[in-house]
Amino acid sequence: MSKIKIAELFYSIQGEGRYMGVPSVFLRTFGCNFKCAGFGMPRGETSHEATDLAATHTMIRAFEKYEELPLVSTGCDSYASWHPDFKDLSPMMDSNGIVNRIMEILPYRRWEDEHLVITGGEPLLGWQRAYPDLLDHDSMHGLKEITFETNGTQKLTPEFKEYLQRWRAQREITFSVSAKLPCSGERWEEAILPEVVCEYEQVGTAYLKFVIATEQDFADAERATEEYRAAGFKGHVYLMPVGGVESVYALNNKNVALLAMKHGLRYSDRLQVPLFKNEWGT
């Protein structure tokens, strides 16, 4: 039976993108190929909040569960889902254990209109081989919609691609691609990979979701969009404000919405921030 290292597994509403407002189960996997330490920082600088927390945790095992972790105002707001010093907070769970937990948190103990969101970390980094076992579980047959929240850098394995092509015959597959611009602190040539995202469109619907704060960030988003379009990408493009905590989010959300309006693009809010303060498990 396949196992997945699970950072978080919770029920909430989708706060971003195409399915914003839809009741959803979030399966957050552990591990990522990026750190995104530039978010919320001056251009060219990186945040040390996650690194400092990790150092404290390593020295004194300061945290026993995700709910005890502090939120960060800069860098990646889901830092514990990839930082190796927090891996002890993410258990390995087999498919039965994951499905049993999902059934416990669904309102009617079965799939109705809820959506499954597989997120991270980077959910396509190392767990592709485990998803068919999970999705084929008897209790998962009522599931009709699934989203992979990905950074758009991981190619689908041939086996998983073939599986998804069969799975989508009667169900909906979406790839919510949060491609990382320079404001994230990641390198363009490693983060903007249009051919990978175009492959996602072969097995489902894909859209781009750029996290930005400034006009310069928008210029980067525009340049990236041109590269994706040149490669054949057909999906929608969303602009979303930087801000994993309310103080930072409130500085950016209106300006980013105005930029989206000005350029005829879609705006994505981050409902988990104003509604739940972006607490863990929301």
Side-chain angles (χ1 to χ4, degrees):
M1 182 172 295
S2 298
K3 292 185 177 182
I4 303 174
K5 195 167 182 61
I6 301 297
E8 290 188 285
L9 180 52
F10 60 92
Y11 174 71
S12 187
I13 63 168
Q14 174 59 279
E16 304 173 0
R18 180 186 184 193
Y19 288 96
M20 189 167 60
V22 175
S24 303
V25 172
F26 290 81
L27 176 63
R28 186 184 302 281
T29 63
F30 182 85
C32 193
N33 56 320
F34 288 155
K35 296 180 179 180
C36 297
F39 282 134
M41 298 293 292
R43 193 86 166 189
E45 297 183 21
T46 55
S47 170
H48 298 285
E49 286 189 74
T51 303
D52 291 344
L53 286 167
T56 300
H57 182 60
T58 299
M59 286 188 295
I60 61 173
R61 282 294 178 264
F63 311 104
E64 295 183 359
K65 53 186 178 180
Y66 266 76
E67 291 78 9
E68 296 176 355
L69 290 167
L71 300 180
V72 294
S73 58
T74 56
C76 175
D77 61 355
S78 57
Y79 62 91
S81 68
W82 57 263
H83 200 293
D85 289 350
F86 293 106
K87 63 183 179 181
D88 59 302
L89 301 181
S90 296
M92 291 292 293
M93 297 179 65
D94 63 28
S95 298
N96 278 337
I98 294 170
V99 172
N100 288 341
R101 179 56 184 152
I102 289 174
M103 293 302 111
E104 289 174 358
I105 61 180
L106 283 171
Y108 298 103
R109 306 298 184 263
R110 62 180 183 274
W111 291 103
E112 294 287 344
D113 293 327
E114 300 87 6
H115 191 79
L116 175 63
V117 181
I118 301 182
T119 186
E122 171 47 55
L124 299 178
L125 186 60
W127 306 113
Q128 295 185 41
R129 66 188 181 279
Y131 295 138
D133 190 36
L134 172 67
L135 296 174
D136 286 341
H137 193 284
D138 288 346
S139 295
M140 298 292 280
H141 289 170
L143 175 65
K144 294 296 187 289
E145 297 174 325
I146 184 171
T147 290
F148 293 95
E149 291 187 337
T150 172
N151 59 33
T153 65
Q154 302 302 305
K155 292 180 63 68
L156 300 175
T157 66
E159 296 79 11
F160 190 48
K161 182 177 180 180
E162 181 181 350
Y163 173 83
L164 290 178
Q165 287 172 330
R166 295 196 307 270
W167 196 87
R168 73 167 181 168
Q170 296 180 331
R171 288 162 287 197
E172 185 76 16
I173 300 173
T174 299
F175 294 87
S176 174
V177 181
S178 182
K180 305 309 179 188
L181 298 173
C183 63
S184 72
E186 302 300 333
R187 297 175 61 196
W188 186 280
E189 58 270 27
E190 294 176 355
I192 306 301
L193 302 179
E195 70 281 1
V196 173
V197 177
C198 288
E199 183 189 31
Y200 298 163
E201 290 190 303
Q202 297 174 17
V203 297
T205 299
Y207 64 86
L208 296 170
K209 189 173 61 182
F210 294 115
V211 178
I212 70 169
T214 67
E215 288 275 3
Q216 187 176 13
D217 296 341
F218 173 76
D220 290 332
E222 195 171 37
R223 173 191 165 196
T225 299
E226 290 175 357
E227 291 192 15
Y228 284 104
R229 295 294 189 211
F233 175 73
K234 299 178 177 62
H236 293 299
V237 177
Y238 290 77
L239 300 182
M240 192 169 76
V242 169
V245 294
E246 200 162 23
S247 58
V248 179
Y249 161 86
L251 292 174
N252 297 312
N253 60 339
K254 183 177 178 179
N255 288 337
V256 173
L258 290 173
L259 278 170
M261 293 169 59
K262 178 180 178 180
H263 296 281
L265 297 175
R266 298 187 175 205
Y267 171 76
S268 172
D269 209 342
R270 307 187 74 183
L271 291 179
Q272 67 273 25
V273 179
L275 289 179
F276 306 117
K277 314 307 178 190
N278 205 26
E279 294 177 358
W280 301 98
T282 60

